[in-house]
Amino acid sequence: MNLLAQYALTGVVTGCFLILATIGFSLTRQVEGFLNIAHAEMLGVSAFITWGLNAAAGWPFIPAAVVAIVATAFVGLFIGRVVYDPIRKLGPAVVLISSVGVALVIAGIMHAIIGTGIRTLDVPLATTYKFFGLRITNYQMIVVALAALTGISLALFLNRTKTGLAIRAMSTNPELAASRGIDVRQTSRATWLLSSGLAGLAGVMLALIATLSTDIAFHQILQILAVAILAGLGSLYSVIAAGLIVGIAMDVSVFWIPAGYRPLIAFAVVIIALLVRPEGLSMKRSS
Amino acid sequence: MNTLAQTALTIVMFGSLFSVLTLSLNLQYARGGMINFGTVAYFAAGAYAYAIVTQEPPHGLDQYLVGLDAPWWAGFIAAGIAAMAFAILTGWPTLRLRGEYLALTTFAFAEMLSSLLVNERRIGNGTVGLANVERPDANILGLSENIVYAGAAFLLMLATAYAFSRLLASPYGRAIDAVRDDEVAAQAIGKDIARLRFQVFVLSSIPIGFAGALYAMITTLVNPNLFSAEVTFFVWIALVLGGERTILGAVVGTMALVGFQEAIRAIPFESVRAAEIAASAEDIVTGILFIVILRWQPFAAFARRRQPA
């Protein structure tokens, strides 16, 4: 029983990471209207900038992480402006396939610069704490705290600020938003910065809790897709529920079946959910 | 045989083989309006079915359970059936999903199959895979093996192209086009949309299974690494490269892409690091090619597809 609870707790941590990784992806889907396969590569970009500054150049962790997140946000903005903006009018399928091209380019560049092999950050080893017989490391707690903080601040941002409201308006009905005087281009830029910045944050967390290799991003996109489909492509809040469901399902499944099946579990949950609710948890129809 | 001819033969062999996949994808996407992001799964199903049917029963360190030791043609037929069965299994629950959801679910099914092949050692030895896959003796024809297999791949491609073009030129093909262009109108004149989509999906996966069997014969090895999502992306890139909706375009696109890859592989490298950089350069160039082609649309084919696919 205790072991099961331990797996569930690890699942919560995995879930929180998935929330961080998926929110940016879902935001792009809503505002820009396509599935950005390259989103996971942005996690990799951020993780390796952090690694480069921290382990290779000897910076302390926090400034390295901040620089990595900001840099990733601008890389995302740059890619959005140069690659995706001109082809948006061609429909979501074309943009989706283009984003595979972008993912290939980013992965190739990272591979060329960094090479194969496993990397770790230059940070103190994780300290383990015990609560009621359950173990959790300090880094895992940071992931959970940051996921909660991100969720709350994002909700405040989208509901209280002018840019946030503009983003929500754009995601609901771009034409109407434009005709009501919302600056579509500026809102789109803000979205790119925000979603890539969130990918950057998730990437830093990834660097903190996992060992890094250049193919790490590809494994993340599978789980991000799973969470995003489960959440339904129409809502941000359901991402939180979906992330936790997928994270806990994956980690608890290890209790009964071999760990190699973890990714399979993620998709099994998704496929079952889709058969019951073809539009995802949010029940909103995607446009 | 000199190296140039050797390379040309390899391009014809793999180009024809993957053209079969591109042609099937072309039927599913450009004609049927279905985005299948799990193409590799049907390919893998065919290859594994072929290997399992033709290999000897397990002995020694083998962990797989079934080896039927049947002749190659039985394996070849089994490959088509396996791909079809997998298409029925995956198509039945998912085809009512639209556009992106379908893309993601087919992708998910492909990943699930690959995860199953890695973890369930009783199917095909897990990550080790099945080596020394049986294949028909090419010497009977008195030609070198490469020529025979390149020829076989070329024939399979021609057969697939012929079958699909006949299918699409028939009234049935026009019904498929009607469903893609306007579902409501097609339904109004009595076409069963769900059934048509399902049929197209299943039919087009059969040649993919055959191609899988041929691939297993050529490489004499099947393992989960050979059937990663990269194959799916490769076929999609080839389809985009050739411009969709035409059979010739699909074939030319695939040949060009295979040729490009073989050209990069033909460059000799001094060190492991140089080879690594070249491999990344291949990814980068492929990616840029992809973005550029979609952006400037030399084939202008995508622009005609107004509805979100």
Side-chain angles (χ1 to χ4, degrees):
Chain A
M1 195 58 222
N2 211 348
L3 191 60
L4 193 62
Q6 177 65 54
Y7 283 139
L9 184 67
T10 319
V12 172
V13 177
T14 311
C16 284
F17 167 72
L18 287 176
I19 293 169
L20 281 176
T22 313
I23 280 187
F25 179 83
S26 285
L27 199 64
T28 315
R29 166 62 185 77
Q30 281 191 24
V31 178
E32 303 291 316
F34 75 100
L35 300 172
N36 184 9
I37 300 292
H39 185 79
E41 301 293 338
M42 301 306 289
L43 265 71
V45 168
S46 160
F48 277 104
I49 293 177
T50 313
W51 172 81
L53 292 175
N54 174 254
W59 289 28
F61 173 71
I62 299 209
V66 171
V67 170
I69 292 170
V70 173
T72 310
F74 280 96
V75 170
L77 175 65
F78 174 76
I79 296 174
R81 299 262 288 137
V82 172
V83 180
Y84 300 129
D85 270 359
I87 54 171
R88 274 246 297 281
K89 57 182 184 299
L90 301 174
V94 176
V95 195
L96 165 68
I97 302 169
S98 291
S99 78
V100 174
V102 173
L104 276 176
V105 173
I106 299 177
I109 292 173
M110 282 205 299
H111 210 74
I113 297 176
I114 292 158
T116 47
I118 287 173
R119 307 283 190 308
T120 46
L121 290 183
D122 183 19
V123 287
L125 282 176
T127 327
T128 306
Y129 298 92
K130 264 183 121 172
F131 299 102
F132 308 106
L134 300 177
R135 283 165 219 279
I136 184 164
T137 69
N138 48 354
Y139 293 142
Q140 290 178 321
M141 285 194 278
I142 293 176
V143 173
V144 176
L146 271 178
L149 197 68
T150 308
I152 294 165
S153 37
L154 194 65
L156 285 176
F157 173 75
L158 292 177
N159 288 311
R160 295 291 156 83
T161 64
K162 212 173 165 217
T163 319
L165 287 172
I167 287 176
R168 285 178 55 209
M170 278 260 296
S171 71
T172 316
N173 189 335
E175 286 85 20
L176 188 60
S179 69
R180 294 286 294 175
I182 286 171
D183 187 340
V184 175
R185 291 172 64 87
Q186 205 184 341
T187 313
S188 163
R189 276 173 228 172
T191 312
W192 277 117
L193 277 179
L194 186 61
S195 63
S196 311
L198 285 167
L201 181 64
V204 171
M205 292 300 110
L206 191 64
L208 203 56
I209 58 174
T211 45
L212 290 174
S213 63
T214 41
D215 56 356
I216 200 162
F218 187 71
H219 299 293
Q220 302 307 319
I221 191 64
L222 299 177
Q223 298 177 7
I224 291 175
L225 287 174
V227 175
I229 317 171
L230 183 63
L233 301 174
S235 162
L236 280 184
Y237 299 112
S238 52
V239 168
I240 296 170
L244 287 175
I245 291 174
V246 170
I248 293 174
M250 280 202 307
D251 282 345
V252 169
S253 74
V254 177
F255 191 69
W256 293 283
I257 47 182
Y261 284 109
R262 268 179 88 226
L264 203 146
I265 294 297
F267 283 115
V269 170
V270 169
I271 287 170
I272 293 167
L274 273 182
L275 297 182
V276 185
R277 274 182 167 185
E279 298 294 340
L281 284 184
S282 71
M283 296 292 276
K284 267 197 229 165
R285 293 193 65 86
S286 69
S287 50
Chain B
M1 204 189 300
N2 61 31
T3 12
L4 198 66
Q6 197 72 261
T7 311
L9 198 61
T10 315
I11 294 173
V12 171
M13 185 156 71
F14 287 109
S16 309
L17 191 73
F18 284 108
S19 289
V20 175
L21 272 69
T22 318
L23 285 169
S24 301
L25 200 64
N26 182 50
L27 182 62
Q28 290 177 352
Y29 175 59
R31 295 303 194 124
M34 293 172 277
I35 305 184
N36 178 357
F37 252 32
T39 318
V40 67
Y42 310 93
F43 191 51
Y48 266 88
Y50 176 80
I52 288 170
V53 169
T54 56
Q55 76 194 342
E56 288 165 12
H59 55 82
L61 292 173
D62 288 333
Q63 288 175 295
Y64 62 85
L65 277 185
V66 188
L68 298 179
D69 204 10
W72 69 271
W73 51 267
F76 193 72
I77 294 168
I81 294 173
M84 191 173 90
F86 195 66
I88 291 172
L89 191 74
T90 53
W92 174 72
T94 53
L95 283 181
R96 63 201 176 93
L97 302 170
R98 283 300 133 85
E100 301 168 312
Y101 282 99
L102 179 63
L104 296 183
T105 334
T106 45
F107 189 65
F109 271 122
E111 286 308 315
M112 286 175 74
L113 182 72
S114 138
S115 166
L116 200 66
L117 291 176
V118 168
N119 289 296
E120 190 54 65
R121 298 207 179 94
R122 280 168 290 184
I123 301 175
N125 282 346
T127 44
V128 180
L130 302 166
N132 292 325
V133 173
E134 298 277 327
R135 59 179 188 176
D137 191 1
N139 292 327
I140 299 171
L141 297 173
L143 292 164
S144 90
E145 287 191 330
N146 277 347
I147 294 180
V148 172
Y149 285 107
F154 194 70
L155 279 180
L156 182 64
M157 177 186 84
L158 287 184
T160 309
Y162 179 73
F164 284 174
S165 67
R166 284 302 298 266
L167 184 75
L168 288 174
S170 70
Y172 184 77
R174 284 195 290 279
I176 296 170
D177 280 346
V179 168
R180 183 207 56 228
D181 288 339
D182 192 337
E183 287 196 2
V184 179
Q187 203 160 25
I189 53 164
K191 299 292 174 199
D192 187 342
I193 294 171
R195 204 162 133 202
L196 268 173
R197 279 163 66 97
F198 185 61
Q199 284 169 347
V200 170
F201 191 73
V202 172
L203 276 179
S204 58
S205 67
I206 298 172
I208 302 183
F210 288 148
L214 199 57
Y215 189 68
M217 289 184 213
I218 292 171
T219 56
T220 69
L221 171 79
V222 292
N223 82 34
N225 270 336
L226 290 176
F227 304 102
S228 67
E230 274 170 44
V231 176
T232 304
F233 292 150
F234 181 89
V235 181
W236 269 101
I237 296 171
L239 185 63
V240 170
L241 200 63
E244 59 176 277
R245 283 206 183 189
T246 63
I247 283 173
L248 190 65
V251 173
V252 170
T254 317
M255 293 283 183
L257 195 56
V258 172
F260 166 69
Q261 288 199 329
E262 287 300 323
I264 285 190
R265 270 175 212 157
I267 306 167
F269 295 111
E270 302 293 320
S271 66
V272 177
R273 183 73 188 134
E276 206 174 277
I277 290 175
S280 336
E282 185 183 324
D283 277 355
I284 297 171
V285 174
T286 316
I288 291 175
L289 215 65
F290 212 29
I291 296 165
V292 166
I293 287 170
L294 284 168
R295 162 95 188 252
W296 280 282
Q297 310 242 342
F299 312 100
F302 271 89
R304 271 185 269 124
R305 299 179 47 79
R306 289 275 77 177
Q307 89 274 31

